[in-house]
């Protein structure tokens, strides 16, 4: 009887010993992995990187992959130096992981392939295949048959300096046989200045604007949008267009000539009916990676043309970020309130000499009392180096160590100037916050309209 009573104690003791052993093994493995990653980051920064194509102009367009009847498309690829977002890194006497390639594509939401590969090609036309560590449809599919996809392939290279990096990449997978037989290569985007690759990001704000489509023609709103965000501290804008009027293109060309904007063709006409909102998720992710990798902007405001991120206790968005960003925030989430186009215009504050008097941020002064919950129609200004996957209204995946911050409704709001009301019976209150920019905004809008449309004395037409 004594022996029987002692057996459970022995089993518990053995389980305890096994647990301690496994814990020590895990702790040792974890510490070894952390040391490996620290050594890898140190070695990364000691190498000299050669830019494969110094003449690459970063002008991407959607291109068909393999069998054209399948309507699989690829848009862009970025070299990402962050090794902490790669599950399996390598560092030995022969090779090391220097980063990864992040590729954006439009593929069927339910692609049959369990394995997707990247075919990388170098300037001397040599190539090899890398199995993707990540390949999946991104969020916000909304029951469409096609989706925006994000593919990540880790990049291992020989330990040598200068270090040869691939110039182009293509996707390959079994269900599209032609993708391997006749791969569609696209240029890989690297920093404009390779010496800044590991530098601290510039504390500047860029703006990622949702795709212009349906022959977008509201010139005055476009100019006001740009000038409002410039007053808030933004220094660069990224525009993508499906369709836009000739007048809108003239305004975009003007800002591009001033080096305030990059403008890209977003030729997704083949998927306007079967991918969510003209592939906006792919576009926002492309923009955030572009702002980070190519131009080294620390911040990107991810918004549409009818949305203004409005700090309530700080003079501008730049002031808010300068004072409130402690360095580990992936995105500052601004909750949504509506102003409605159908509401009457109040032009009381428009100076007498102004030509373009009906600015939406100045003439619409009544907003909804209700502040919508975070992540419901909210918009975000992100730390670009923290983003792995961006959504339309929220950050879906951040790099390790970064978290969202929901901006309190007394500190900042998203002012959404919507053409059609969601609930026309919602309670409205007067809010003059945006008018603190009015004096400078009116002058800037008139100045831009005159520069672009001098033949009609600086009148920007309303759509």
């Amino acid at each position: 009887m004594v022996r029987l009573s002692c057996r459970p104690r022995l089993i518990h003791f053995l389980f305890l010993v096994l647990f301690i052993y496994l814990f020590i093994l895990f702790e040792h493995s974890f510490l070894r992995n952390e040391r490996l990653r620290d050594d890898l980051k140190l070695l990364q920064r000691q190498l000299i990187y050669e830019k494969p194509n110094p003449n690459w102009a970063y002008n991407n367009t959607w291109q068909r992959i393999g069998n054209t009847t399948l309507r699989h498309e690829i848009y862009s690829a970025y070299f990402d130096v962050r090794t902490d977002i790669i599950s399996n890194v390598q560092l030995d006497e022969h090779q090391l992981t220097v980063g990864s390639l992040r590729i954006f594509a439009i593929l069927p939401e339910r692609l049959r392939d369990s394995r997707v590969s990247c075919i990388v090609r170098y300037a001397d036309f040599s190539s090899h295949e890398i199995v993707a560590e990540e390949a999946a449809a991104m969020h916000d599919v909304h029951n469409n048959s096609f989706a925006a996809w994000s593919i990540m392939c880790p990049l291992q290279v020989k330990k040598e300096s200068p270090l040869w990096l691939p110039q182009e990449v293509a996707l390959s997978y079994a269900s599209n046989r032609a993708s391997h037989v006749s791969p569609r290569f696209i240029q890989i985007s690297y920093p404009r200045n390779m010496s800044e690759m590991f530098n601290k990001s510039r504390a500047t704000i860029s703006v990622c604007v949702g795709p212009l489509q349906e022959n977008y023609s509201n010139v005055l709103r476009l100019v006001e949008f740009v000038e409002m965000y410039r007053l808030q501290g933004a220094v660069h804008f990224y525009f993508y267009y499906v369709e836009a009027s000739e007048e809108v293109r003239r305004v975009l060309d003007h800002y591009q000539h001033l080096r305030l904007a990059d403008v890209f063709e977003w030729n997704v006409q083949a998927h306007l009916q079967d991918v969510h909102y003209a592939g906006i998720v792919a576009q926002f992710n492309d923009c955030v990676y572009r702002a980070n990798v190519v131009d080294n902007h620390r911040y990107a405001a991810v918004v549409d043309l009818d949305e203004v991120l409005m700090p309530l206790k700080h003079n501008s968005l730049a002031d808010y970020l300068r004072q409130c960003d402690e360095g580990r925030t992936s995105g500052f989430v601004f909750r949504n309130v509506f102003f409605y186009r159908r509401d009457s215009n109040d032009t009381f504050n428009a100076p007498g000499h102004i030509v373009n008097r009906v600015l939406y941020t100045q003439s619409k002064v009544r907003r909804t009392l209700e502040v919508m919950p975070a992540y419901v129609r909210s918009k975000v200004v992100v730390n670009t180096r923290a983003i792995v996957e961006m959504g339309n209204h929220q950050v879906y995946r951040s790099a390790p160590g970064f978290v969202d911050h929901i901006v309190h409704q007394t500190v900042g709001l998203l002012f959404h100037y919507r053409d059609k009301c969601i609930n026309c019976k919602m309670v409205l209150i007067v809010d003059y916050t945006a008018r603190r920019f009015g004096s400078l905004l009116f002058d800037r809008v008139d100045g831009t309209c005159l520069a672009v449309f001098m033949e009609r004395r600086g009148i920007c037409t309303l759509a």
Side-chain angles (χ1 to χ4, degrees), residues 12-176:
H12 290 159
F13 175 75
L14 291 175
F15 269 119
L16 180 61
V17 171
L18 179 61
F19 174 79
I20 293 172
Y21 172 76
L22 291 174
F23 178 79
I24 294 173
L25 191 65
F26 171 79
E27 187 76 9
H28 177 71
S29 175
F30 176 80
L31 292 174
R32 184 175 60 184
N33 186 47
E34 287 298 300
R35 285 195 295 270
L36 171 65
R37 290 182 181 276
D38 290 340
D39 292 344
L40 185 59
K41 287 180 181 179
L42 182 62
L43 185 56
Q44 261 187 311
R45 286 157 174 77
Q46 294 173 348
L47 296 171
I48 299 173
Y49 296 81
E50 292 288 341
K51 195 171 185 176
N53 183 3
N55 299 316
W56 169 229
Y58 302 96
N59 293 323
N60 301 86
T61 59
W62 285 103
Q63 301 182 56
R64 290 289 169 91
I65 303 171
N67 186 344
T68 58
T69 61
L70 296 175
R71 298 188 299 126
H72 299 179
E73 308 209 22
I74 184 171
Y75 187 75
S76 58
Y78 295 92
F79 175 59
D80 190 343
V81 299
R82 298 174 297 179
T83 54
D84 54 352
I85 66 172
I86 304 172
S87 296
N88 298 305
V89 294
Q90 185 174 344
L91 175 58
D92 56 36
E93 57 189 24
H94 301 295
Q95 284 193 319
L96 74 155
T97 305
V98 291
S100 63
L101 300 179
R102 178 70 57 172
I103 301 165
F104 298 113
I106 290 180
L107 300 171
E109 192 269 331
R110 297 186 179 183
L111 193 70
R112 298 193 305 270
D113 302 88
S114 58
R115 169 174 160 155
V116 177
S117 296
C118 298
I119 304 174
V120 295
R121 187 162 69 181
Y122 293 80
D124 62 357
F125 292 98
S126 62
S127 63
H128 70 271
E129 190 168 327
I130 306 169
V131 177
E133 185 176 293
E134 298 175 10
M138 291 187 280
H139 290 76
D140 296 334
V141 177
H142 293 272
N143 297 317
N144 285 284
S145 55
F146 279 80
W149 277 60
S150 176
I151 298 97
M152 188 272 281
C153 292
L155 188 61
Q156 277 89 28
V157 298
K158 294 179 180 178
K159 290 174 66 175
E160 56 188 12
S161 187
L163 191 144
W164 292 98
L165 294 168
Q167 179 170 303
E168 300 173 309
V169 64
L171 292 178
S172 174
Y173 43 97
S175 65
N176 187 345

Side-chain angles (χ1 to χ4, degrees), residues 10 63 99 118 121 162 165 235 265 280 393 396 411 413:
L10 178 61
Q63 301 182 56
C118 298
R121 187 162 69 181
L165 294 168
V235 300
E265 182 182 10
I280 191 171
H393 302 289
Y396 278 115
V411 176
L413 291 170

Side-chain angles (χ1 to χ4, degrees), residues 240-268:
Y240 299 70
Y241 69 91
V242 181
E243 292 178 319
S245 69
E246 181 183 347
E247 291 181 333
V248 166
R249 292 299 309 277
R250 285 176 64 180
V251 172
L252 295 178
D253 289 344
H254 170 76
Y255 284 122
Q256 196 167 19
H257 179 72
L258 295 176
R259 297 187 178 181
L260 289 171
D262 284 325
V263 182
F264 306 99
E265 182 182 10
W266 192 248
N267 52 320
V268 292

Side-chain angles (χ1 to χ4, degrees), residues 258-295:
L258 295 176
R259 297 187 178 181
L260 289 171
D262 284 325
V263 182
F264 306 99
E265 182 182 10
W266 192 248
N267 52 320
V268 292
Q269 284 80 356
H271 288 289
L272 288 178
Q273 304 303 318
D274 55 26
V275 70
H276 176 59
Y277 199 71
I280 191 171
V281 175
Q283 184 243 311
F284 278 154
N285 278 274
D286 175 83
C287 184
V288 170
Y289 274 80
R290 190 181 300 271
N292 174 27
V293 173
V294 177
D295 295 319

